[in-house]
Amino acid sequence: MSHMLTKKLPPVQSVSFLVSRRASQLSRQRYDVIVVGGGHAGTEAAAAAARIGAETLLVTQKIQTIGALSCNPSLGGIGKGHLVREVDALDGLCGRAGDWAGIHFSVLNRSKGPAVWGPRAQLDRQRYREFIQAELLSTPRLKVLEGSVEELLVSDPNPAEPGRHRVAGIRLANGSQLISASSVVLTTGTFLSGSLFVGQTLSPGGRMGDAPSSSGLTHTLRDRLGLRVGRLRTGTPPRLLKDSVDLSLTKLHPPDRQPTPFSFMNTHTRCKPAEQLPCYLTYTTPGVERVVRESLHLNCHIQQDAKGPRYCPSIESRVLRFPGRSHQVWLEPEGLTSDLLYPQGLSMTMPPDVQLRLIREIPPLHRAEIHTPGYGVQYDYVCPTQLSPALQVKNTQGLFLAGQINGTTGYEEAAAQGLWAGVNAARRALSQPPAALSRTESYIGVLVDDLVSRGVTEPYRMFTSRAEFRTSLRPDNADLRLTMKGFELGCVSAVRHHEAVRVRCSLQNAIAALQALTMSSTSWKKKLPGISMSENKNQALSGMDLLQYKDVSFEMLASVFPESLAPYMEFSQRLKIEAVYKPHCDQNKSEIKKIQSEENMSLPQDIDYFTLSVSLSQEVREILDRFRPTTLGAATRLEGMTPAAIANLFKYVVLTRRQESMMSGKQADNEEERGEEPCKRNASLPQ
Amino acid sequence: MYYSAIMLPVSAVCGGTYRAVIRTLTTRNIPLYRRLSSGGRVLAGLADADTIFALSSGHGRCGVAVVRISGSAAATALRCMVGLGNQLPPPRTALLRSITDPHSKEVLDRGLVLWFPAPHSFTGEDSVEFHIHGGPAVITAVLQALGSVPGMRPADAGEFTRRAFHAGKLDLTEVEGLGDLIHAETEAQRRQALRQMSGELGRLYQDWSHRLKRTLAHVEAFIDFSEDELIEEGVLDQVDISVCDLQAEIEQHLKDERRGERLRSGVHVVIAGATNAGKSSLLNTLCQRPAAIVSPIAGTTRDVVESALDIGGFPVLLSDTAGLRDSPDLVEQEGVRRARERVQQADLTLLVVDSTILPSEEQEAAAFLLEHLRTLLSSQDQPGAGRCLLVLNKTDLLPEAHREKLNLELRRVSGLPPVCLISCQTNEGLKDFLTVLQSSVKTMCGDPLSGAPTLTQARHRAHLQQCVAALAQYRWYRDSDLALAAEGVRLALTSLGRITGRVGAEEILDIIFKDFCIGK
């Protein structure tokens, strides 16, 4: 437990000695996996690939910005917290980094049911970066190189696999150094053809102060590989000097008294409960709207047609779409010792002098000073329907994409994809088949499936409403859902696996103990006099049944039956949740099984749907050709598919499978077995 | 997320799907909330909601109909609908048994029952077959009863075949036609559904679906956007009201939907008219037996005389009533009161008129009949449009020429209910009258065998019941766990979506962003 907290981080200054700033310093010129980009996706990808056992190289423009929080200083939230817990369950970095760097922890939606609790924390930017950098630098098989990638090396495909191209490595910008690799993971974030907007000024860049990625990379993706590329936009607010803000005019927003760690491996956070910092709440005034309207002609970002997110709009979009009302502004700390505040809700792109005028219309900010102005950024993304569920580009063997390059937004979404792309990139390099993660077992699966089978029209953010099995995919049980699987895939350490096995056994034993406590409701009433039970007298109820009552806690039962239940006190909350949700999860099981069996029926990627000799309407053929679903399950979720088309495709898949197994004999049988492996998992507690 | 992610557009329109998303939550007679009130534990017993049933013999009139059930709840259905004690019958052996409604215990039919335990069945699952009489009333009754067993739902198009295929029971060549079969069936269902959807019923369902979508969007917004992000007040209060209203409306609709019940309990046809018009003679003629006493004395029939009939395969409960007149006789007064009450409750009124009292000028007949109707029936007794037939009796006493002119004239004028000229004495005109009567009864029951509307209706009913039960789940969990409460609204929309079309997560998100200003 909490091994992370006892680990000593290497001092940041020493970082430069552990990494290479020139490719010629690298010990090798060939890696299994190269990860391009050091943001949330890139760091998770590199760490995961190395954990799996691949010799991995992380290439980033600036080593010091590895693990930087480019936008908001926070992690988690509703839906996003689910992703952090899942990344942690697969031994990723962001959960533990959050526990290390958090300075204000709160579980959102506390009153709305455990399935939708959203663990969240404000972060100390410095500490977050420190943790990520230290973690990467102490990861075996992982090297970090500072440099800019000029282009991808593309060669002829391996004829045994689908795809028209194969990625062979990268060429660096300076010195045209070549480094070869079996897999390359691109996590370019907002840097792919990135341009920054402030007022009417437009300058190339992926983040203020950082150059965009090389145009050669864009060229490779668009022209050489022929990928469909779109454009999205986002923005960030100005950073304010804390001293210049009149906090007495704001509403204080305290953290949870007892911080809840993100990581399953941590029992407490680095920040002590009492050391946590508050957030502050204030509101916009009519003056803000006036300034926005007066400066519209000076604000070219808002006039652009690239799609921005609807749920994290700039202050300009907010007052224009919902005029005449007052909007919330959260003032968030940037770190324990930082003298800056982050005004969440005030993302803006007008000229800096107008930004100052605008914020000063808000009473607590009437004398505020801006440290760094807000700005907008537009960037290229690759339409993610061109990816397989392993996040590999379908037409290019070995090329994986993760994060904003796939049209998503958010640190957590990026981290989740990064981890998954890293796992698969490494597996490919080590000649292992791609790993599958179903939308029935994880939010990561929902995210990946939504991206690759439906694509995006605006920056994609995770919502719990996207998960159809929300009651099964809870933040509390991410370890039970994913850690064993991650261990089999090789991305989970033995320590974590051991802990997850211990937890699973304990929970199973505790549930068995609760079920063994079966007696009539009359007897229960005698044991627990305070409980109102409407059961009929002779009905036998188990401890699990009792736990479903709103006013019955595990602690209460344990106090009545200490000998059988006391050993499980550390799991009291999880047991209560299991008891309440079990009936609903059981109800989902048969449906989950059905979806999983369809997800396991893969559709060949090289089918020509227009000439396929299966009875399909022209309309259906066009849909299939456009989205190229990788599995029968994905095909059923496409808009416009008909039951008859699915039945005919189903028949086709089975027929092809049989023919293949007849031709290649035993080998195909083995593959079929492997393919069915995920089917054995259940989203609820393994029995 | 797709609320009915695996539901497909074509099938969704008609409520039939390739794959089912149904999670049966309730039975017809035991609403979820009542069972939930016993501790919220009931859901545990409904884990496998995957048993399907369907009329497997062809549609159309037939002597014997086969109803097939497949899935883990097949044995439960068998136990609770067939009196077998607690034992299952020997496998693959035909037994003659009474088939009863699991709740009312009413005997629905007597037929052959076969039990095929897994894996030795067509689908490879536990299966049951009922071989019952082919009348529409019997088939509907059995299908409705099956729909009320927990864990059961009507099968989707081609689902038996698909399950058989999955279980490895069919060779690929045997399943060759599966796609075509599903296509044909869903096509038929789609046309069927479209017919129903274009009417008032369709608008009603669409309206519910629309409101439910908004309701779900508001719950989801409340869940997905924390207090920090979603500024709006009272979002959930609005949801509470919508859920409550919707539940009440759909429950009411389920209650009012009488067609299925008519099929089961019979169409109520009441014979009414002035004294001595020949009402009891008509009853006896229709029954083909002297069920009521007939005499030339006015006021012979004083109480209601009932007789159950089969008219063209549809059950009819025929009531003969006392002649409508003011009488000083207390017993007769009560008889008249009862007669008027029956007319008010009737599905169809046969208003019998002695044709010899009609004016000799044919042109005046229509006006006379309208006046006669007015005086005979008080305003609240007036049967609605399409619910009354005028039967002009004793035509054997009219000269033939007059009879024909009268017939032509009454067909010409509008504003009168359909008119039939008959003679209970000579049976003249009886055949035509029966045709008219049969078509009226058929309209009232819905023709269960044309394009399988019985199935469609059973399906709609099942979906609406699930919808209501799921809304009850929202209210049950509203204060303790909003995620589980929202699950109820999701389920409700999925159930309704099987009638009106699927609803995807994106659509819900669109509503959220349209209705709320979101952002921190």
Side-chain angles (χ1 to χ4, degrees):
Chain A
M1 303 287 296
S2 70
H3 69 297
M4 176 282 283
L5 291 169
T6 56
K7 188 168 65 186
K8 201 164 179 310
L9 288 176
V12 180
Q13 299 92 295
S14 68
V15 162
S16 52
F17 298 107
L18 294 164
V19 299
S20 312
R21 295 197 186 266
R22 296 173 63 121
S24 55
Q25 294 167 351
L26 291 173
S27 55
R28 49 167 72 212
Q29 298 304 309
R30 174 168 179 85
Y31 285 86
D32 293 325
V33 175
I34 294 175
V35 177
V36 181
H40 297 268
T43 52
E44 293 288 356
R51 286 201 302 279
I52 294 261
E55 290 295 335
T56 306
L57 178 70
L58 174 68
V59 184
T60 177
Q61 289 194 7
K62 273 190 202 166
I63 281 166
Q64 71 198 61
T65 58
I66 288 180
L69 303 163
S70 308
C71 196
N72 51 311
S74 62
L75 184 75
I78 302 158
K80 290 166 171 280
H82 290 69
L83 286 172
V84 175
R85 299 279 283 181
E86 291 186 359
V87 168
D88 181 69
L90 292 169
D91 227 352
L93 311 175
C94 66
R96 287 176 295 128
D99 291 342
W100 177 267
I103 51 173
H104 169 123
F105 289 84
S106 65
V107 174
L108 306 182
N109 269 355
R110 186 66 95 168
S111 64
K112 297 177 194 167
V116 295
W117 284 352
R120 183 178 187 278
Q122 297 297 146
L123 305 175
D124 182 305
R125 292 182 188 274
Q126 177 80 11
R127 283 188 175 184
Y128 193 86
R129 217 164 49 215
E130 262 171 38
F131 183 92
I132 296 286
Q133 292 183 1
E135 188 76 18
L136 290 185
L137 295 169
S138 61
T139 303
R141 292 182 292 274
L142 176 60
K143 287 282 175 294
V144 179
L145 171 70
E146 191 167 79
S148 179
V149 175
E150 179 59 35
E151 67 166 313
L152 295 177
L153 304 178
V154 179
S155 65
D156 289 336
N158 172 359
E161 294 174 46
R164 284 202 295 273
H165 313 282
R166 183 161 59 92
V167 74
I170 56 169
R171 188 166 65 82
L172 294 174
N174 46 352
S176 63
Q177 178 87 40
L178 306 184
I179 307 172
S180 61
S182 310
S183 305
V184 173
V185 185
L186 284 186
T187 67
T188 51
T190 57
F191 284 67
L192 197 63
S193 308
S195 45
L196 307 178
F197 292 78
V198 185
Q200 289 174 299
T201 330
L202 162 75
S203 55
R207 179 171 47 209
M208 200 52 97
D210 294 317
S213 63
S214 115
S215 57
L217 199 53
T218 316
H219 169 78
T220 316
L221 295 176
R222 275 179 194 255
D223 306 329
R224 180 80 171 84
L225 303 178
L227 295 177
R228 260 177 299 127
V229 169
R231 204 142 173 87
L232 292 172
R233 71 176 158 95
T234 184
T236 196
R239 310 300 143 85
L240 310 176
L241 288 174
K242 196 174 185 176
D243 286 346
S244 65
V245 176
D246 187 352
L247 292 172
S248 68
L249 296 176
T250 64
K251 201 175 140 206
L252 194 75
H253 189 78
D256 286 354
R257 205 161 294 166
Q258 189 57 49
T260 307
F262 287 108
S263 176
F264 287 99
M265 299 302 285
N266 288 336
T267 49
H268 55 281
T269 59
R270 180 183 177 198
C271 189
K272 294 198 172 64
E275 291 168 2
Q276 297 184 90
L277 297 180
C279 293
Y280 307 90
L281 175 62
T282 183
Y283 295 91
T284 63
T285 58
V288 169
E289 193 172 326
R290 203 184 56 240
V291 175
V292 168
R293 290 189 185 282
E294 283 168 7
S295 63
L296 279 183
H297 63 290
L298 301 172
N299 195 339
C300 70
H301 197 52
I302 197 81
Q303 299 151 8
Q304 298 293 325
D305 53 354
K307 284 275 183 78
R310 288 179 294 182
Y311 33 74
C312 183
S314 61
I315 189 65
E316 292 95 324
S317 330
R318 287 168 81 187
V319 301
L320 293 177
R321 275 186 53 212
F322 295 92
R325 45 205 272 187
S326 164
H327 301 273
Q328 285 183 327
V329 175
W330 290 88
L331 302 174
E332 301 177 347
E334 292 238 320
L336 279 181
T337 55
S338 168
D339 51 3
L340 299 182
L341 282 177
Y342 179 92
Q344 178 87 265
L346 285 185
S347 161
M348 57 179 85
T349 58
M350 53 198 69
D353 57 315
V354 185
Q355 293 194 14
L356 191 66
R357 243 170 70 211
L358 185 147
I359 61 161
R360 289 190 170 180
E361 292 290 341
I362 299 171
L365 308 181
H366 64 287
R367 274 204 295 268
E369 292 295 341
I370 290 179
H371 175 265
T372 323
Y375 60 93
V377 54
Q378 288 198 6
Y379 54 96
D380 279 354
Y381 75 100
V382 175
C383 300
T385 50
Q386 300 166 103
L387 305 180
S388 77
L391 296 178
Q392 181 176 215
V393 175
K394 286 179 194 168
N395 78 9
T396 308
Q397 300 166 359
L399 179 60
F400 296 80
L401 309 181
Q404 279 167 303
I405 193 173
N406 289 340
T408 63
T409 174
Y411 302 155
E412 304 79 2
E413 288 81 355
Q417 290 171 72
L419 181 138
W420 199 236
V423 164
N424 279 297
R427 286 178 69 83
R428 189 191 128 80
L430 303 175
S431 305
Q432 292 165 352
L437 201 51
S438 160
R439 65 183 298 126
T440 61
E441 63 186 336
S442 64
Y443 276 73
I444 302 179
V446 171
L447 168 70
V448 170
D449 186 51
D450 279 351
L451 289 179
V452 306
S453 48
R454 298 174 60 91
V456 300
T457 51
E458 64 176 330
Y460 179 101
R461 165 177 158 183
M462 183 46 72
F463 295 111
T464 67
S465 54
R466 297 192 192 272
E468 45 276 85
F469 301 106
R470 181 163 64 191
T471 50
S472 304
L473 312 184
R474 304 187 306 270
D476 65 274
N477 66 7
D479 54 344
L480 300 178
R481 291 186 276 120
L482 298 172
T483 302
M484 323 296 161
K485 177 165 192 163
F487 185 68
E488 285 165 32
L489 293 174
C491 71
V492 168
S493 70
V495 180
R496 183 184 288 269
H497 178 246
H498 188 263
E499 170 64 5
V501 169
R502 183 188 75 86
V503 169
R504 184 176 64 178
C505 288
S506 306
L507 287 173
Q508 280 171 348
N509 293 341
I511 288 172
L514 281 165
Q515 270 160 350
L517 294 173
T518 295
M519 59 181 96
S520 71
S521 55
T522 324
S523 315
W524 277 115
K525 270 180 204 160
K526 275 183 206 147
K527 297 272 185 192
L528 299 165
I531 304 305
S532 56
M533 273 186 291
S534 52
E535 307 291 330
N536 76 51
K537 281 186 182 170
N538 301 318
Q539 197 169 5
L541 295 175
S542 74
M544 277 298 267
D545 295 332
L546 258 282
L547 258 191
Q548 288 183 25
Y549 284 88
K550 209 165 148 186
D551 42 1
V552 176
S553 67
F554 183 78
E555 286 85 349
M556 286 165 76
L557 298 182
S559 69
V560 182
F561 301 98
E563 62 289 357
S564 59
L565 299 182
Y568 308 111
M569 280 304 287
E570 77 172 285
F571 301 110
S572 60
Q573 189 185 53
R574 289 187 71 161
L575 286 164
K576 171 78 185 173
I577 298 174
E578 285 293 339
V580 173
Y581 278 77
K582 195 171 180 302
H584 300 271
C585 297
D586 288 347
Q587 213 185 322
N588 284 339
K589 265 185 195 161
S590 62
E591 203 181 316
I592 287 176
K593 226 170 86 187
K594 236 183 283 175
I595 293 183
Q596 286 182 343
S597 78
E598 271 155 4
E599 284 178 344
N600 288 335
M601 306 192 72
S602 54
L603 292 168
Q605 281 309 292
D606 48 0
I607 307 184
D608 179 355
Y609 284 107
F610 292 106
T611 57
L612 188 67
S613 63
V614 169
S615 159
L616 296 171
S617 73
Q618 191 58 26
E619 194 192 344
V620 165
R621 285 176 196 273
E622 277 165 21
I623 294 169
L624 288 169
D625 184 62
R626 182 149 19 104
F627 289 96
R628 305 219 141 253
T630 46
T631 65
L632 194 67
T636 61
R637 283 187 286 276
L638 290 177
E639 209 82 39
M641 288 295 284
T642 63
I646 295 295
N648 285 324
L649 269 184
F650 174 76
K651 199 176 67 196
Y652 170 77
V653 171
V654 175
L655 201 63
T656 331
R657 251 199 204 178
R658 288 197 187 173
Q659 280 169 352
E660 276 170 9
S661 72
M662 259 188 285
M663 289 204 304
S664 58
K666 231 177 159 192
Q667 196 191 339
D669 287 342
N670 288 344
E671 238 160 44
E672 204 163 305
E673 262 167 42
R674 251 202 311 266
E676 273 160 20
E677 170 59 20
C679 200
K680 290 176 191 153
R681 318 191 158 276
N682 281 321
S684 67
L685 193 61
Q687 294 300 305
Chain B
M1 178 245 355
Y2 319 91
Y3 291 95
S4 42
I6 39 190
M7 199 180 290
L8 301 151
V10 169
S11 53
V13 173
C14 57
T17 66
Y18 170 62
R19 234 166 283 81
V21 194
I22 281 270
R23 289 162 262 197
T24 306
L25 271 170
T26 190
T27 67
R28 186 178 50 200
N29 295 343
I30 313 169
L32 177 80
Y33 55 84
R34 202 176 300 154
R35 295 183 292 141
L36 282 175
S37 62
S38 65
R41 308 172 24 256
V42 294
L43 293 166
L46 299 172
D48 197 350
D50 224 352
T51 301
I52 52 170
F53 62 90
L55 176 64
S56 287
S57 49
H59 301 303
R61 187 151 265 286
C62 51
V64 175
V66 177
V67 173
R68 200 188 255 170
I69 306 158
S70 176
S72 54
T76 315
L78 186 58
R79 279 204 195 91
C80 66
M81 289 180 61
V82 178
L84 295 160
N86 223 358
Q87 290 200 321
L88 287 168
R92 299 175 297 282
T93 309
L95 296 179
L96 182 63
R97 287 288 182 278
S98 291
I99 296 162
T100 55
D101 184 289
H103 303 291
S104 68
K105 300 296 169 206
E106 175 195 349
V107 175
L108 305 173
D109 194 19
R110 209 169 147 71
L112 291 183
V113 174
L114 289 109
W115 164 236
F116 303 92
H120 303 293
S121 70
F122 173 63
T123 55
E125 303 174 322
D126 279 352
S127 297
V128 167
E129 279 181 18
F130 291 148
H131 295 209
I132 55 177
H133 291 98
V138 172
I139 295 171
T140 309
V142 170
L143 291 180
Q144 283 196 357
L146 282 170
S148 75
V149 175
M152 306 272 290
R153 62 168 174 81
D156 294 332
E159 202 174 1
F160 282 99
T161 318
R162 197 172 59 81
R163 287 187 178 203
F165 182 50
H166 272 297
K169 289 281 174 178
L170 294 180
D171 194 74
L172 266 179
T173 50
E174 288 179 86
V175 87
E176 199 63 31
L178 180 59
D180 300 333
L181 170 80
I182 292 176
H183 180 70
E185 283 187 33
T186 47
E187 242 333 276
Q189 286 175 4
R190 190 183 61 80
R191 280 197 303 272
Q192 171 74 33
L194 279 179
R195 276 203 297 275
Q196 295 188 351
M197 280 304 159
S198 57
E200 213 169 305
L201 197 61
R203 278 196 295 279
L204 183 67
Y205 291 169
Q206 290 297 352
D207 172 58
W208 285 339
S209 168
H210 180 70
R211 283 158 60 193
L212 204 47
K213 259 186 266 179
R214 279 185 68 97
T215 304
L216 179 62
H218 287 205
V219 182
E220 296 289 6
F222 193 75
I223 287 177
D224 265 333
F225 299 95
S226 61
E227 302 83 346
D228 305 355
E229 287 177 291
L230 190 69
I231 310 163
E232 265 77 6
E233 299 272 327
V235 174
L236 272 200
D237 298 340
Q238 198 52 50
V239 169
D240 291 346
I241 295 169
S242 303
V243 167
C244 210
D245 289 353
L246 278 165
Q247 192 182 338
E249 279 174 45
I250 300 174
E251 271 172 357
Q252 189 59 38
H253 175 74
L254 281 169
K255 250 184 248 161
D256 280 1
E257 217 236 353
R258 279 263 297 133
R259 280 187 165 190
E261 287 161 46
R262 275 184 191 139
L263 251 182
R264 259 179 84 183
S265 59
V267 178
H268 288 245
V269 177
V270 173
I271 304 175
T275 50
N276 254 357
K279 297 181 294 299
S280 302
S281 299
L282 181 61
L283 177 84
N284 291 346
T285 307
L286 289 173
C287 298
Q288 296 171 327
R289 65 188 168 94
I293 300 164
V294 180
S295 84
I297 305 161
T300 306
T301 308
R302 293 187 160 196
D303 201 353
V304 177
V305 177
E306 286 184 344
S307 185
L309 293 180
D310 178 319
I311 293 179
F314 299 98
V316 166
L317 188 70
L318 192 63
S319 315
D320 182 22
T321 60
L324 301 171
R325 67 168 178 185
D326 295 325
S327 164
D329 184 323
L330 279 178
V331 179
E332 197 177 343
Q333 269 176 29
E334 176 59 19
V336 171
R337 193 193 64 74
R338 289 185 184 186
R340 291 193 187 281
E341 192 178 81
R342 282 301 171 108
V343 170
Q344 278 176 41
Q345 295 167 353
D347 294 318
L348 180 67
T349 303
L350 304 180
L351 196 74
V352 185
V353 180
D354 181 348
S355 61
T356 58
I357 65 168
L358 291 178
S360 54
E361 286 298 318
E362 291 88 6
Q363 286 84 349
E364 291 164 21
F368 176 88
L369 281 171
L370 279 173
E371 182 57 28
H372 184 72
L373 267 172
R374 245 196 306 279
T375 47
L376 212 55
L377 304 172
S378 62
S379 58
Q380 77 244 34
D381 298 347
Q382 293 289 338
R387 287 181 44 205
C388 182
L389 290 182
L390 265 177
V391 183
L392 304 189
N393 191 19
K394 308 187 187 178
T395 53
D396 54 308
L397 301 178
L398 299 180
E400 178 139 6
H402 178 56
R403 198 160 67 215
E404 267 159 28
K405 273 191 199 157
L406 196 61
N407 199 356
L408 285 174
E409 171 66 17
L410 291 176
R411 269 168 213 275
R412 198 180 54 79
V413 293
S414 55
L416 271 182
V419 179
C420 299
L421 279 72
I422 67 162
S423 163
C424 292
Q425 201 69 41
T426 63
N427 283 354
E428 199 188 337
L430 192 66
K431 206 173 146 203
D432 289 345
F433 165 66
L434 278 175
T435 311
V436 174
L437 179 60
Q438 185 177 330
S439 86
S440 299
V441 168
K442 198 166 155 181
T443 314
M444 278 174 189
C445 296
D447 182 348
L449 299 183
S450 74
T454 315
L455 207 60
T456 316
Q457 284 167 18
R459 210 190 272 286
H460 283 190
R461 185 171 272 274
H463 298 327
L464 291 176
Q465 279 162 350
Q466 278 155 356
C467 183
V468 165
L471 290 174
Q473 178 177 331
Y474 170 85
R475 294 168 70 181
W476 174 255
Y477 284 111
R478 158 70 166 82
D479 295 321
S480 60
D481 192 317
L482 202 62
L484 293 176
E487 195 73 6
V489 185
R490 283 178 167 201
L491 243 100
L493 189 56
T494 305
S495 307
L496 197 59
R498 289 176 59 96
I499 305 175
T500 57
R502 82 164 182 185
V503 179
E506 287 304 322
E507 204 174 327
I508 297 299
L509 287 171
D510 283 344
I511 300 177
I512 293 179
F513 295 123
K514 209 157 58 200
D515 283 10
F516 299 113
C517 172
I518 281 157
K520 292 181 70 170

